[in-house]
Amino acid sequence: EDKVVQSPLSLVVHEGDTVTLNCSYEVTNFRSLLWYKQEKKAPTFLFMLTSSGIEKKSGRLSSILDKKELFSILNITATQTGDSAVYLCAVGRDGGSQGNLIFGKGTKLSVKP
Amino acid sequence: NAGVTQTPKFQVLKTGQSMTLQCAQDMNHEYMSWYRQDPGMGLRLIHYSVGAGITDQGEVPNGYNVSRSTTEDFPLRLLSAAPSQTSVYFCATGGRGNQPQHFGDGTRLSIL
C-alpha cells in the first residue's frame, strides 16, 4: 500500500531558527513530490520535485528530493511568525492522472516571537 | 483561492440527507480532484477526473458520486449523508502535463 510519512508531526521554534521538515514515501509509479503550506484554508503550492539532488529554492524556503532513499526535506531558514502553518507533503503517481496524489499527515509548525 | 470556487463554504446536514458540493474552475484545467481532510488523517483522495466525461475512484470513494460533464465543473454528491462524512472537503485542479494541483478554499460539512 502506498504511503507518505512526514516527521515531525509538530514542531515549535522561535523566530530566526532554521527548521527541517521530513517526508519519506513508499509509492509505486512515482511521478513527483509536492510541498504545500496550509494556514487556515486551502493548501497553497510551494514546490514540485521530480529529479533527485536538484534543490528548489524560493526565498527562505528550499527543498530537495532523494529518489534513491525515497525522501524529501523542506528547509526554512530565519523563520518568521508568518511561517506558522501545517506543511503538507504529497506524492503524485503515474497511471495517467495528475489528480492522483497521496498526502502525508502534515507537520504543524509553530513559530514563536 | 483564485480560479477554483467551491460552494457552499459551510453546510450542516442530517443523517440520510443528500447534497451536492460544487466545484468550478476557470483555468481550463483538465484534472480535477476531490479530497477530504480529517484531523490527524491528512488529505485523502475521494474521486478524480482527467477530463470531461472521465472519472475514477480514489482512496475513499464509498458514499460519494461524481460526474464531469464539462471541463469547468466537478460536483461531488453525497447520496445519503452519514456522520462519518463530517469533514472538510477540498476540490483541486491541475493543468496538462506534470503541473501542480491548486486547491479551492474548501467546504466544511457537518452531519448530525
Side-chain angles (χ1 to χ4, degrees):
Chain A
E1 183 178 328
D2 291 350
K3 63 180 179 180
V4 176
V5 179
Q6 293 186 245
S7 64
L9 291 181
S10 65
L11 188 57
V12 180
V13 301
H14 288 95
E15 273 192 317
D17 288 349
T18 294
V19 297
T20 298
L21 310 183
N22 304 293
C23 176
S24 64
Y25 62 92
E26 293 177 26
V27 172
T28 54
N29 301 319
F30 175 91
R31 182 182 180 126
S32 57
L33 188 142
L34 300 91
W35 286 96
Y36 289 87
K37 177 182 181 181
Q38 186 176 27
E39 295 174 269
K40 294 188 188 288
K41 291 188 177 178
T44 54
F45 172 72
L46 295 174
F47 299 111
M48 183 166 72
L49 304 143
T50 56
S51 301
S52 275
I54 299 175
E55 184 182 55
K56 295 235 174 167
K57 198 170 172 66
S58 176
R60 296 176 293 102
L61 277 67
S62 63
S63 182
I64 197 161
L65 173 67
D66 186 329
K67 290 170 74 174
K68 182 179 177 183
E69 300 297 330
L70 307 182
F71 78 91
S72 174
I73 60 173
L74 175 68
N75 279 322
I76 308 175
T77 59
T79 52
Q80 303 171 357
T81 55
D83 295 326
S84 295
V86 175
Y87 290 84
L88 298 167
C89 174
V91 172
R93 296 171 286 190
D94 261 332
S97 171
Q98 188 66 13
N100 202 350
L101 288 179
I102 181 168
F103 279 82
K105 295 182 179 181
T107 294
K108 182 177 181 180
L109 175 65
S110 298
V111 181
K112 304 293 186 187
Chain B
N1 198 18
V4 184
T5 303
Q6 288 186 237
T7 54
K9 293 192 184 328
F10 304 94
Q11 184 71 47
V12 179
L13 291 178
K14 295 182 179 178
T15 298
Q17 288 184 313
S18 63
M19 82 159 293
T20 300
L21 308 185
Q22 302 290 347
C23 177
Q25 53 112 349
D26 61 2
M27 297 178 285
N28 202 32
H29 283 169
E30 289 188 329
Y31 301 106
M32 297 186 76
S33 307
W34 277 103
Y35 297 86
R36 59 178 288 174
Q37 187 173 35
D38 303 296
M41 297 293 291
L43 279 91
R44 293 181 291 169
L45 182 65
I46 304 171
H47 285 285
Y48 63 98
S49 169
V50 301
I54 306 169
T55 64
D56 207 347
Q57 296 181 351
E59 302 170 65
V60 288
N62 292 340
Y64 307 95
N65 274 357
V66 292
S67 60
R68 185 95 180 270
S69 56
T70 67
T71 299
E72 294 78 19
D73 299 295
F74 190 43
L76 178 72
R77 297 182 187 85
L78 280 70
L79 305 174
S80 177
S84 61
Q85 294 177 304
T86 294
S87 188
V88 180
Y89 291 84
F90 288 101
C91 176
T93 75
R96 181 186 288 272
N98 204 15
Q99 296 186 36
Q101 291 191 42
H102 297 275
F103 286 78
D105 282 342
T107 294
R108 185 174 294 274
L109 182 62
S110 294
I111 314 236
L112 306 178

